[in-house]
């Protein structure tokens, strides 16, 4: 039984998306990896085809779809083997802050263009000295009448260079509390005092622009505060469940692709007169790895079902994010050995996957932080 019970509409959406990605994304993957970014145009094409921000209510230009569509997006994006086009980050991690906490004016101003791909979003929490410990955020927000002045630096921000709108976590100068002193602010591209720093060269995710952002006397209207003043930490905590489910699903989907590529190679490639897959050592490795991937898939699908029901599955999500991202690293490592030198060229899908999965245990909260969350809830 498929616990997520996809309807014919979900299946049709998947088919349409898969065809779109095969036509518009996969053929350009190598070029985008070399370019270290993706073109703006592909965001617009995705938006026009209805593949961005599917959960945004129809009144703001979306389809009001359930989270199963988001899961399909994450899975199908993984199948392309290119992680630079951060459509899930935009649709299922950043924009949901606006949908959930934005004022009607903010929703009308931004959501339709987030859906159409005209606006690419980013979220800026991490700073050079604060990432795991969000209570250590130092970017300062000072109110001056109807204006808020932002000063500070952010780093490792995905979509950092391409983004038209960034949600910035900042400490309110007049609130003296490490947790209840943070707010979220919407900063548009072109705002005076908002500049981009280095495009960070990375181990993997080559086609994604990960960058530093700087705010120097950056003045925005108070009306650009997202949600209530001082509630930034609470909003981030509330949204982290979905972010980590997306991360765990991304890991499982990547592992499934890695297995599919490896099995195809081992059944097709002949050594000593017979396919590699006829050797017991290879068979056992594939069986062990496939079992791990299946365990991850079962765990994550259950969490998606619980999440759609509106359950709080913070602890299980932290466990899943941690376990699946370690699992996909094991799978990528072992599969690289199984395929051997054929997977070593830089542009081979397995080589790219091997590089790209490495960071999964680090972003969306490091796995040490995930274990800390679980340990706290277990009252250890
Ligand atoms: C490719 C990429 C994309 C990213 N995209 C974004 C983005 O879009 N927006 C954004 O805001 N951030 C983003 N990040 C940042 C990412 O979320 C942080 O790097 C991560 O949360 C770790 O925070 P940190 O960088 O401060 O590292 P640190 O917290 O300094 O971690 C360093 C090491 O210390 C360990 N550590 C820290 N605290 C503890 C503890 N209490 N117990 C045990 N060990 C601990 C960590 O696990 C890690 O191993 C991205 C990072 C990468 C690499």
């Amino acid at each position: 039984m498929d616990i997520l019970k996809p309807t014919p509409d979900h299946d049709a959406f998947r088919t349409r998306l898969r065809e779109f990605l095969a036509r518009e994304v996969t053929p350009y993957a190598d070029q985008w990896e070399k370019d270290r970014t993706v073109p703006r145009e592909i965001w617009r094409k995705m938006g026009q085809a209805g593949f961005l921000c599917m959960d945004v209510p129809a009144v703001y230009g979306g389809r009001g779809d359930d989270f199963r569509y988001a899961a399909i997006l994450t899975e199908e994006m993984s199948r392309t083997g290119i992680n630079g086009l951060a459509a899930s980050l935009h649709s299922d991690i950043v924009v949901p802050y606006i949908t959930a906490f934005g004022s009607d004016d903010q929703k009308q101003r931004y959501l339709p263009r987030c859906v159409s791909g005209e606006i690419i979003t980013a979220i800026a929490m991490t700073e050079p000295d604060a990432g795991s410990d969000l209570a250590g955020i130092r970017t300062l927000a000072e109110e001056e009448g109807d204006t808020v002045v932002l000063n500070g630096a952010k780093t490792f921000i995905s979509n950092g260079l391409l983004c038209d709108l960034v949600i910035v976590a900042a400490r309110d100068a007049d609130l003296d509390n490490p947790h209840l002193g943070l707010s979220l602010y919407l900063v548009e591209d072109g705002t005076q005092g908002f500049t981009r720093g280095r495009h960070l060269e990375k181990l993997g995710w080559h086609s994604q622009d990960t960058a530093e952002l700087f705010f120097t006397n950056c003045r925005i209207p108070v009306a650009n505060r997202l949600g209530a003043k001082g509630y930034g930490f609470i909003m981030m905590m509330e949204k982290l469940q979905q972010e980590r489910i997306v991360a765990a699903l991304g890991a499982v989907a990547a592992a499934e692709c890695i297995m599919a590529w490896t099995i195809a190679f081992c059944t097709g490639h002949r050594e000593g007169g017979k396919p590699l897959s006829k050797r017991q050592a290879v068979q056992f490795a594939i069986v062990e790895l496939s079992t791990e991937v299946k365990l991850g898939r079962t765990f994550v699908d259950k969490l998606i079902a619980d999440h759609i029901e509106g359950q709080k599955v913070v602890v299980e999500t932290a466990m899943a994010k941690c376990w699946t991202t370690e699992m996909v690293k094991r799978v990528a490592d072992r599969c690289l050995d199984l395929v051997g030198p054929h997977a070593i060229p830089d542009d081979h899908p397995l080589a790219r996957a091997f590089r790209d999965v490495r960071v999964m245990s680090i972003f969306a909260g490091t796995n040490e932080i995930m274990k800390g969350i679980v340990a706290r809830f277990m009252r250890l």
Side-chain angles (χ1 to χ4, degrees), residues 37 39 47 49 74 86 110-111 115-116 118 121 133 139 147 151 167 179 197 239 242 259 266 307 354 356 362 373:
T37 190
T74 298
Y110 297 123
L111 288 180
V115 173
S116 68
E118 283 164 83
T121 58
D133 179 22
T139 295
T147 302
N151 276 292
I167 299 176
H179 293 110
K239 286 288 162 210
Q242 179 155 312
M259 286 314 302
C266 292
H307 183 64
F354 180 76
D356 285 2
I362 295 171
I373 293 170

Side-chain angles (χ1 to χ4, degrees), residues 89 94 122-134 154-159 202 204-205 208 210 243 359 361-369 372:
L89 171 81
V94 189
I123 186 155
M125 305 182 199
T126 307
E127 300 185 354
D129 292 318
S132 300
D133 179 22
L134 292 175
K154 299 287 180 180
T155 191
F156 292 124
I157 307 306
S158 307
N159 289 344
K202 305 183 293 296
W205 293 58
Q208 187 183 102
T210 310
E243 174 170 349
V359 76
S361 55
I362 295 171
F363 61 29
T366 69
N367 283 358
E368 286 73 26
I369 295 302

